[in-house]
Amino acid sequence: MIIDFHTHIFPDKIAAGVIDKLQKKSRSKPYTDATAGGLLQSMQEAGIDYSVTLPVATNVRQVEKLNTIAIAEVQAQAESGARSGLISFGGMHPDYENYKEELRRLKEGGVKGIKLHPAYQDVDFDDIRFLRIIDAASELDLIVLTHAGWDIGIPHHDFASVEQILHVIKEVSPTKLVAAHMGGWRNWKEIKSDLAGAPIWLDTAFSVGPIEPAEGTTRTPEESMNMYDSEFLELTRAHGTDHILFASDCPWSSQKTYVDRFLQMPFTEAEKAAVMGENARHLLGLS
């Protein structure tokens, strides 16, 4: 089983506009049209069984709308008995006041977790507002997946540094915290020295291999590479392969390229099975 733990889709009517805006901001090439149909086609080509779709609430008004959509999708699949392959997470914003009630609504609706994005929400990850949300989510046994490290389109401040992640762990002891981008985009040396082995999961989204620039943009050689395979393997082993989740960040990485790259890495068969799907299956509670 292969599970991609970090993907993004948007409603068909706005996907083109959103993806155009984001690719210009990040100067990164999208590999699908960012619709559900585009993601499902990509999954079929890559041999992926499930993809976790992650919404980002950039303001308080979006929270309930995004979560209502996630609940409806989860319940529709449950009622039909059909497996679409998409696992919808909810979203939360640090300024949303009724976060406990909304998290409970997600839990009762069968949603497995939430996505936080400190950079897009303009709040540091260890701010008390996030701490309260993470603590409440842990009480409900919900997964909390957060963007970690720098954001490729927001270079002025690191809203989810290694220091902040360690502070969150110390303050609220989250039970199911996933730090995206191998614990923090472009902070990988510090992650290896200070965060590796902590009681959290790291997802591999947008962390390995070259970054292809969006059409009409350029990237310097330094800007055009994430971790090399050797660096990734060292960090994976330092943290423990039982707490690594395969993820692509589709549409910002090619799912097929990521699957092919990971299957060729010198993991043991047991490590490969764990990273590519078994860790995610257990965390998500899939049979």
Side-chain angles (χ1 to χ4, degrees), residues 90-255:
M92 185 54 64
H93 192 279
D95 291 327
Y96 186 83
E97 292 183 0
N98 297 322
Y99 63 91
K100 289 185 177 181
E101 292 81 357
E102 188 66 6
L103 291 172
R104 192 173 298 112
R105 184 167 79 99
L106 286 170
K107 178 69 175 182
E108 292 172 353
V111 176
K112 302 285 187 179
I114 59 169
K115 168 69 184 288
L116 304 176
H117 202 308
Y120 276 20
Q121 296 168 332
D122 198 28
V123 175
D124 285 335
F125 185 53
D126 59 351
D127 185 281
I128 186 62
R129 289 167 286 179
F130 275 134
L131 292 176
R132 290 168 179 164
I133 290 168
I134 296 165
D135 190 41
S138 291
E139 289 183 3
L140 293 168
D141 200 36
L142 289 170
I143 301 165
V144 177
L145 190 151
T146 181
H147 172 88
W150 296 89
D151 183 88
I152 195 169
I154 305 176
H156 67 277
H157 181 67
D158 185 352
F159 287 90
S161 67
V162 171
E163 181 180 2
Q164 291 167 353
I165 294 170
L166 288 169
H167 186 208
V168 169
I169 295 170
K170 178 181 178 181
E171 289 296 314
V172 297
S173 302
T175 56
K176 292 182 177 180
L177 178 62
V178 180
H181 314 297
M182 287 301 287
W185 194 67
R186 292 283 166 93
N187 288 337
W188 296 305
K189 289 182 179 179
E190 190 179 357
I191 292 160
K192 184 180 176 184
S193 62
D194 297 343
L195 187 62
I200 64 173
W201 284 260
L202 310 183
D203 86 26
T204 68
F206 204 76
S207 62
V208 186
I211 303 171
E212 187 169 346
E215 185 177 352
T217 68
T218 59
R219 306 187 70 81
T220 67
E222 183 180 356
E223 293 175 326
S224 298
M225 192 66 185
N226 284 315
M227 281 187 285
Y228 292 95
D229 289 4
S230 58
E231 297 174 292
F232 171 80
L233 285 163
E234 288 178 7
L235 180 52
T236 297
R237 293 251 164 79
H239 186 66
T241 53
D242 59 335
H243 275 65
I244 303 293
L245 305 168
F246 173 77
S248 68
D249 207 6
C250 183
W252 304 112
S253 296
S254 161
Q255 287 186 309

